[in-house]
Amino acid sequence: SVTGVQTCALPIYQAEVEKQIQQMVQFIRSEANEKAAEIRVKAEEEFNMEKLSLVQAEKTRIRKDYDRKNKALDAQRKIAYSQYLNECRLAEAKFKAEAVQEVVEACRMSLAQVAADRNKYKALLKGTLLQSLMKMMEPKVEAHIREEDKDIFSEVLAEVLTEYSQTMSMTCEVTISDHYLHPGPKDGNVGNSCCGGMILSAKDGKIRVENTLDSRLEIAISQSLPEIRDTLFKTHSASA
């Protein structure tokens, strides 16, 4: 009958519908899986790119930090080297000054022996006094000498005044000051000492002629300092 045909066709239609539904589900699942895969790939790419960017940024930061520290260290090295060179120069200058001073002290000790020979020292005082008076050309002069030279100075004074009067056609009155110069060096100590000679003054000290052995030595050393340094240091450098 007609009713039997319709009843028999219904299961076939439902099976077709279910099949189509299953196909649609599979298609949706397939699309979803593909989309999920695309999302995972994109996410992984973005993660790798971000990671690479972070790594590069960290490398850049480390490199800049290294360069900064290296520049700071290089500056410290330069400062330390400059300080070292300066210390070397100061040490060299001190060594040279001490070496020159040793020469000066040795000369001063030798000079101190001049007064030991009375006859030679007397002749020296006579020539020095006459020279000083002729330079000053003053009628009244005050002489500052060592107390130990008072007797020998008095011995030559009269002779010098006579010779001065004859040579310069004028007279001069010389008085010995009671403000004596430092005594001669004792026991190798030349500090606060005078090796001999005199200081003459006139017109209340407005005119002054210093003619001690020590002052002459200072002048000689000052004039000969380049030669002294050349002898001490260039010879040493050549031998080294």
Side-chain angles (χ1 to χ4, degrees), residues 77-93:
R77 289 196 192 102
K78 289 181 179 179
I79 293 173
Y81 182 66
S82 177
Q83 290 176 342
Y84 170 74
L85 287 180
N86 189 49
E87 289 174 359
C88 288
R89 292 190 189 100
L90 291 175
E92 182 182 12

Side-chain angles (χ1 to χ4, degrees), residues 151-166:
D151 291 340
I152 193 171
F153 185 85
S154 299
E155 291 177 13
V156 303
L157 181 57
E159 299 177 21
V160 169
L161 291 178
T162 300
E163 187 172 347
Y164 174 82
S165 178
Q166 293 174 349

Side-chain angles (χ1 to χ4, degrees), residues 95-96 99-101 103 227-237:
F95 168 77
K96 289 182 176 181
V100 171
Q101 189 59 33
V103 172
E227 289 82 359
I228 293 173
R229 288 175 175 165
D230 184 70
T231 302
L232 286 175
F233 307 122
K234 284 193 176 181
T235 303
H236 175 72
S237 299

